[in-house]
Every structure is written in C-alpha cells, then in structure tokens.
Amino acid sequence: MRLFSSPQRRLIVMHATRSTFPLVEPRRLRAFAADRAVDYGTSVRARPVSPSRDAIAALERFHEPMPDAPCDARDVIALLDEVGSPATVASTGGRYFGFVIGGSLPAVTAASWLASTWDQNAAMRVMSPVAAELEDVVLGWIRELLGLPADCDGGLVTCATAANFTALTAARSALLARAGWNVEDDGLAGAPAVEMVVGEEVHASVQKALSLGGFGRRRVTVVEADEQGRMRAEKLPGLSERSIVCIQAGNVNTGAFDPATEICERAREAGAWVHVDGAFGLWAGISPKYRELTAGFEKADSWATDAHKWLNVSYDSGIVMVRDAMALRRAMTISAAYLMPGAMREPMHHVPEASRKARGVELWAALKSLGRSGLRDLVERTCALASRFAARIKDAGFEVLNDVVINQVLASFGTAEKTLEVIRRVQEDGTCWCGGTVWQGKTAMRISVSSWATSEEDIERSADAVIRLARQ
Ligand SMILES: *Cc1c(COP(=O)(O)O)cnc(C)c1O
C-alpha cells in the first residue's frame, strides 16, 4: 500500500534532493521514449498519410493552463506520443508527395537521437570539437559531390531560405567591398546601388531573402521565363560589377534548370555575381543520368541548397556555399576580430546564428550511410518513380503539365475547380498526400517524389487512389 499519492511522493523526492525537478531515471525514460519512437517509425507506413479529424481535434488536450508544478517526465513523453503522434503528417512513410519534402534516412534518425543526447552547441570549435569537425567533413564532401570549387567555403543553416539570405548578404558584401564600400560597418544608406536580377519563376524564398536583406522585393529586374520556368538567357539585362543574378537549379514546380552556362558566362564578362537557388535540384547532378541538367552551375559564385529535401536528412538542414570564402566570413562574422587568416574554421562566422544545433551530425550520417552509389540510387530511383506516376496519370487520360525532367510532376484534372476538388479528395482519402500549386496561371496538383522510403508499390497504390478519386 502506498502512503502518499504520487504528486506527494514527487514533492518528497524533490525536497530530499533539493532539486527543482522531479527525480527521473534517465535510462528508463530514454528506453520508454525510444520504444515509442520505434513504434511510430514502424507503423507510419501503414497509417493514413494525413491525420484524422479526431486526431487534430484531440490536440486540444495540449491547451491546458500552464502547469504550476513539475510532472513526471514519463507522463510528458506519454502525452506527447498519445496526442502528438496521431496528429503528425506521415511524411516519413513513403506516400507523401507534398511540397518537396524528403523522409529521414534510418541512419539520420538514429544519429539524431544520439546527437540530441549530446546536446552540443555548434557555434564554436571549443564548444564542440566533434560538431565543428563533422561540419568540416560534410562541407568538403558536399563541395565534391556538387562539383563546387575546392576553395569555396560554406555554412550549415536551417533551410534554403536562410541559405539564400546568407549567400545574398555575402554577395552584396563582396560587390560593395570591390566598390570601396564596407557594408558591414557603414550599412546601406548612401551605398552604391546593387542590382538584383531574378527569373520570372523565382522561388518565394529568394524574394523573402530580398526583403530580409533590405534589397527590396520590388527593386529587382525580372527576366522572362519559358514554359518550363527556365530563365531566358537572351533576355538578361545588361549586367555590371554591381549586379547579382539569382538562378535556379530545379524549379519547385517543374524541376526545370536555368541555362547556367550561358548566364554565368555573361555575368563573368560583366564582373557580376551569380547566385544559385538549388534547394533540391542541385543534387540531381550526382547521377550521370542527370548531370547535364546541372552543368554550368558550378561556375556561379554562391549556392543555396537543402539537405532536408532530396537528401533525406531530418529537419532542419540547409547549406550555403560561397566561392569567395572571405566574403562569406566578412558578412557573417560576429566581430571583425575573428577574421584572422589561417585560423581554424569557426562555424559561427559562416552563418547568421551563433548558438545552434550540430546539423553536421545528421548530414554526415546521411552521406556516410548512403555513399556515392546510395546517393545516386536515391536520385535515380525517385526520378524514375516520378516518371512512373506521371505515366499513370497520362494513361488514365489526365494531363501532365510539365516535362518531367527530375522528381517533380504537375497534374491537371480539368478545370481549376475540378483539380482543387481532386486534391481535396486525395488529402482526405489518406492513401497519399499531394498539394496544389498554380503553374503559369493553371491550377495543378504537384507531386514530388523525394523520399528514400517510397517504393514502386507506394507509387502504384497512390496513382490508383488519385485516378480513382479523379474519376469519381
Ligand atoms: C523548397 C525550396 C526553397 C525553400 O526551401 P526551405 O528549406 O523551405 O527554406 C527554395 N528554393 C527552392 C527552389 C525550393 O524548392
């Protein structure tokens, strides 16, 4: 028989240990959480991709008044799993085709468990030698895999939006420094003007970077794009040593690539800077089958890409690379005193953040576990599966709006209303998940095959469901 109720017992434990926290047994707690995580991971393929209405309604249980007293950590994890897990979107399960969302490779998920236990601050080498060292390793590997210049430097950020912002800030720093203007110290007021050039189908994240960076969303020269969304190189305006041209490797809708070779040549002649938004598309170049698409992008000056999309690293994980390593450091350093040549690379002087998680760990786990051939296979398999999905849609008499060059498919089921209705039914049905987009004025369903976990069977089941719901 228990003498005290459990809240009383917890209070007694707290007093006895003079701790503000209830005593928990870490090994049992971690095993408890790990069990639940494993259960989630092994059941996620079988469950509907979208959470049920009931599961979403049950999230109300989180809305309690801020608790006055501590509670058992096991109860915290149990509640998180009971209420939280059913209300997740099963994007790691193999039949999620929304936005451009990858899964999480098994080695990545496992490495992230260990890394979160380490709880390392990756700001500086002295705070975590392993975080800094793995960051060096993955930046070197990525440079090589993407065919980028050997002396470019980079940083690990949250996402491609942050990578675009970081790169454009470095670009501006370099162009203004060449004009004798120190933008870090003297700011933008009175600085020589920098001209931004973007394609008509520029990703919204670049526009956000323009707004955050004080470039101004509207102060851009927009270059016409073709029917696949590729910038028309012949329509480029006159460039100068104060122009920054933003090009795309992989349009978020069509997967199309801007003609990088031509654009980079024009920019080089003028002394302009070329920035590449290659959130997922840059990774296509890993495969000899798709290398032609990414040809010329290595001639640019900076690159933004994601690891949490096609590379299947868990969230969040973006990468920025800059040819002029000093420009990146000058733009991102916390203090000019840190710009010592020859010193070891300190992560925090390459990104907007100071304290941050050790993103290099999961990235390393992904690249190490896949190897070159695994990466190639990931790219080639997902592209082949996207083509298969597109073929099923066309065979069923519906329209595919884009040339399926990599892993992106745009489908139309007739009028905008009809297409939106099919998207709604697909999301409700739960076999798979596809979102909507507007492509050059036409409402479309966007299907992005980006996960290592997607199998042929997943594609057949999903295509069956989409076609059945479109015919209803
Ligand atoms: C997804 C995407 C982005 C933004 O990526 P985040 O990681 O969400 O910031 C930028 N550009 C392109 C081409 C994308 O596909």
Side-chain angles (χ1 to χ4, degrees):
M1 197 187 77
R2 282 180 172 171
L3 279 178
F4 302 103
S5 69
S6 75
Q8 281 173 317
R9 273 191 298 128
R10 274 188 216 122
L11 279 177
I12 291 163
V13 171
M14 279 164 52
H15 281 290
T17 60
R18 297 181 159 273
S19 161
T20 16
F21 299 101
L23 201 66
V24 287
E25 220 245 287
R27 186 170 284 273
R28 284 184 49 201
L29 176 66
R30 289 199 173 123
F32 178 73
D35 260 358
R36 287 177 175 252
V38 168
D39 285 348
Y40 179 88
T42 49
S43 62
V44 70
R45 288 189 135 277
R47 47 163 286 202
V49 181
S50 343
S52 69
R53 286 212 181 91
D54 287 349
I56 296 169
L59 291 170
E60 187 54 33
R61 281 179 65 195
F62 286 133
H63 292 274
E64 55 176 336
M66 173 63 208
D68 283 328
C71 87
D72 194 317
R74 276 174 64 112
D75 295 343
V76 174
I77 301 304
L79 182 67
L80 188 62
D81 187 33
E82 277 159 34
V83 180
S85 294
T88 55
V89 171
S91 49
T92 57
R95 291 189 309 284
Y96 184 85
F97 307 111
F99 306 92
V100 185
I101 288 193
S104 178
L105 289 159
V108 169
T109 307
S112 115
W113 286 0
L114 184 56
S116 76
T117 312
W118 291 351
D119 189 29
Q120 298 290 282
N121 186 337
M124 295 169 74
R125 203 165 282 271
V126 69
M127 293 172 177
S128 178
V130 62
E133 224 40 69
L134 284 178
E135 196 166 312
D136 290 348
V137 170
V138 295
L139 287 170
W141 285 356
I142 290 166
R143 211 161 24 224
E144 217 185 297
L145 286 167
L146 301 181
L148 305 183
D151 55 351
C152 71
D153 201 350
L156 303 184
V157 291
T158 46
C159 62
T161 305
N164 281 326
F165 166 77
T166 305
L168 293 179
T169 311
R172 178 171 59 196
S173 175
L175 298 191
L176 289 181
R178 282 177 216 159
W181 187 270
N182 180 333
V183 70
E184 286 76 33
D185 287 344
D186 298 324
L188 283 173
V194 170
E195 189 202 18
M196 296 297 310
V197 180
V198 302
E200 212 179 343
E201 292 292 346
V202 62
H203 192 272
S205 72
V206 171
Q207 290 169 322
K208 178 165 177 178
L210 295 178
S211 115
L212 284 178
F215 293 93
R217 284 172 194 268
R218 274 204 300 244
R219 289 175 66 104
V220 290
T221 303
V222 180
V223 182
E224 207 180 301
D226 68 12
E227 77 294 341
Q228 296 299 319
R230 293 172 295 223
M231 197 190 271
R232 291 188 189 275
E234 73 278 11
K235 302 276 181 173
L236 273 176
L239 301 173
S240 77
E241 67 278 10
R242 276 197 281 296
S243 311
I244 302 172
V245 188
C246 299
I247 61 173
Q248 279 194 113
N251 176 283
V252 72
N253 285 310
T254 61
F257 293 73
D258 287 341
T261 304
E262 267 180 273
I263 296 170
C264 290
E265 255 165 40
R266 286 273 312 274
R268 176 130 324 159
E269 282 163 19
W273 181 291
V274 178
H275 169 65
V276 178
D277 175 9
F280 61 103
L282 264 185
W283 296 93
I286 291 206
S287 156
K289 268 175 102 167
Y290 301 99
R291 193 155 296 151
E292 200 152 306
L293 294 171
T294 60
F297 283 94
E298 77 286 351
K299 296 195 171 74
D301 300 282
S302 58
W303 303 263
T305 189
D306 266 325
H308 56 218
K309 287 183 171 170
W310 219 355
L311 192 53
N312 282 253
V313 171
S314 53
Y315 287 97
D316 44 30
S317 196
I319 302 150
V320 59
M321 288 287 194
V322 179
R323 182 188 290 275
D324 179 348
M326 205 53 194
L328 175 65
R329 252 172 285 166
R330 210 171 40 232
M332 290 296 136
T333 190
I334 203 160
S335 144
Y338 287 102
L339 293 174
M340 295 167 295
M344 286 184 95
R345 183 180 177 283
E346 289 293 353
M348 70 187 282
H349 301 307
H350 299 76
V351 293
E353 302 91 344
S355 292
R356 56 205 250 288
K357 75 172 221 163
R359 289 192 187 86
V361 177
E362 286 113 322
L363 248 169
W364 171 81
L367 297 172
K368 170 85 176 153
S369 72
L370 288 173
R372 281 178 198 277
S373 63
L375 257 170
R376 205 160 54 226
D377 179 62
L378 174 65
V379 165
E380 290 176 3
R381 197 159 34 85
T382 44
C383 288
L385 292 174
S387 294
R388 174 74 195 144
F389 211 138
R392 287 288 315 272
I393 287 171
K394 277 195 247 179
D395 290 349
F398 301 108
E399 197 186 355
V400 170
L401 301 178
N402 66 317
D403 294 344
V404 180
V405 286
I406 46 171
N407 63 330
Q408 303 291 108
V409 180
L410 296 176
S412 164
F413 299 91
T415 61
E417 293 69 34
K418 178 73 199 295
T419 299
L420 288 173
E421 175 58 18
V422 177
I423 293 168
R424 195 193 59 73
R425 285 182 200 159
V426 167
Q427 293 179 358
E428 173 118 353
D429 167 77
T431 305
C432 65
W433 201 98
C434 304
T437 188
V438 176
W439 175 245
Q440 299 189 337
K442 211 158 177 192
T443 299
M445 173 189 280
R446 181 172 52 199
I447 301 164
S448 171
V449 185
S450 305
S451 174
W452 72 277
T454 302
S455 66
E456 269 172 46
E457 195 221 323
D458 286 320
I459 295 295
E460 298 305 335
R461 260 183 78 186
S462 302
D464 287 347
V466 169
I467 292 163
R468 173 175 50 80
L469 294 163
R471 283 183 175 155
Q472 243 173 37

